[in-house]
Amino acid sequence: MARTASRISLTIPADGGTLAADLSLPPQPDGLVVFCHGSGSNRFSPRNRRVAERLERGGLATLLCDLERNSEATNGRTLASLPPLQKRLLRVLDWTAQQDDLNDLPLGLFGSSTGAALALVAAAERPGRVQAVVSRGGRPDLVFQRLAEVRCPVLLLVGEHDVDVLELNAWAAGQLQVRNQLVVIPQASHLFSEPGCLDAVAEQSYTWLMEQFRQGRFGTADDL
């Protein structure tokens, strides 16, 4: 049965100011998923929102936040532009650990495109906090030097027709030292805009996250 989530708009303190965020909290959530958007996107991304809605219906809390401020360029991310965003994402994760209604929840990260690179680094930096990562059309190659440091399971979702990104994700799967799964979504391009493709992403993500959260809660994380 779907659970109705309460929706809260808030700000999270970060270096040099605050980050706008939207928190959806269903009753008795089974976990929390923080979304890491891609370059040029924000917390209003219709694709991420659609995935978040599926997770919320299944009983997961979601947090979508703007890692880039309005005054910052959004014409693409480079290796040089990632560290400040990585620092802000870590601040968001640390903030969740300080909230009474969030700190005991299993935590997963959902990263899109370049946001997946941020999610993977955050998982490496907070191994005791992050229990799962989902990458949608991700760019793990941007943080290749950190892949072996990730300590939680990783789901890599790539569109069948996103050939270059598929190759990069196949390579990344071989570099990860944890349980991971590369799932190719049939007929999908990079934005998963084809009919049914984004729904497939949402279902795969929900199933994967719930599996990892349940394993973590029942003490089988050492088997990952």
Side-chain angles (χ1 to χ4, degrees):
M1 179 180 296
R3 307 184 207 176
T4 302
S6 60
R7 302 179 186 277
I8 308 166
S9 294
L10 48 85
T11 57
I12 299 174
D15 292 346
T18 59
L19 304 175
D22 292 330
L23 173 67
S24 291
L25 195 63
Q28 299 182 321
D30 295 311
L32 169 66
V33 182
V34 175
F35 282 70
C36 315
H37 60 76
S39 176
S41 187
N42 55 36
R43 71 187 190 280
F44 299 114
S45 162
R47 289 177 290 277
N48 283 349
R49 288 272 176 175
R50 186 145 166 199
V51 174
E53 288 170 1
R54 170 63 184 96
L55 303 185
E56 293 156 15
R57 290 197 304 271
L60 295 176
T62 64
L63 180 65
L64 293 91
C65 59
D66 293 341
L67 297 176
E68 293 168 310
R69 299 191 175 98
N70 291 335
S71 60
E72 294 174 335
T74 58
N75 58 351
R77 291 177 185 169
T78 65
L79 285 175
S81 69
L82 290 180
L85 302 179
Q86 291 167 349
K87 190 173 183 180
R88 291 174 194 170
L89 177 56
L90 291 175
R91 181 65 191 93
V92 170
L93 301 189
D94 293 342
W95 176 86
T96 67
Q98 298 164 2
Q99 309 308 305
D100 291 341
D101 51 355
L102 303 178
N103 59 3
D104 287 335
L105 297 178
L107 176 67
L109 302 179
F110 183 98
S112 305
S113 191
T114 54
L118 301 178
L120 288 164
V121 171
E125 292 281 347
R126 297 292 186 271
R129 179 72 175 130
V130 181
Q131 295 190 17
V133 171
V134 176
S135 165
R136 173 177 67 82
R139 289 293 308 280
D141 57 295
L142 292 176
V143 290
F144 68 93
Q145 73 279 13
R146 305 299 302 272
L147 295 180
E149 301 175 36
V150 176
R151 292 291 177 265
C152 66
V154 178
L155 175 63
L156 304 165
L157 299 171
V158 187
E160 177 185 10
H161 299 310
D162 196 6
V163 179
D164 291 341
V165 171
L166 178 55
E167 182 177 347
L168 292 171
N169 277 258
W171 170 84
Q175 303 301 309
L176 291 165
Q177 302 299 304
V178 291
R179 182 158 63 88
N180 63 84
Q181 185 176 359
L182 173 61
V183 175
V184 179
I185 305 299
Q187 305 301 316
S189 60
H190 184 64
L191 295 180
F192 299 88
S193 56
E194 295 76 14
C197 290
L198 198 57
D199 290 334
V201 166
E203 291 300 327
Q204 291 277 355
S205 300
Y206 176 74
T207 300
W208 174 268
L209 288 164
M210 287 298 294
E211 178 184 351
Q212 311 319 316
F213 291 165
R214 286 168 178 154
Q215 288 183 343
R217 278 186 158 170
F218 289 101
T220 58
D222 291 339
D223 296 332
L224 302 180

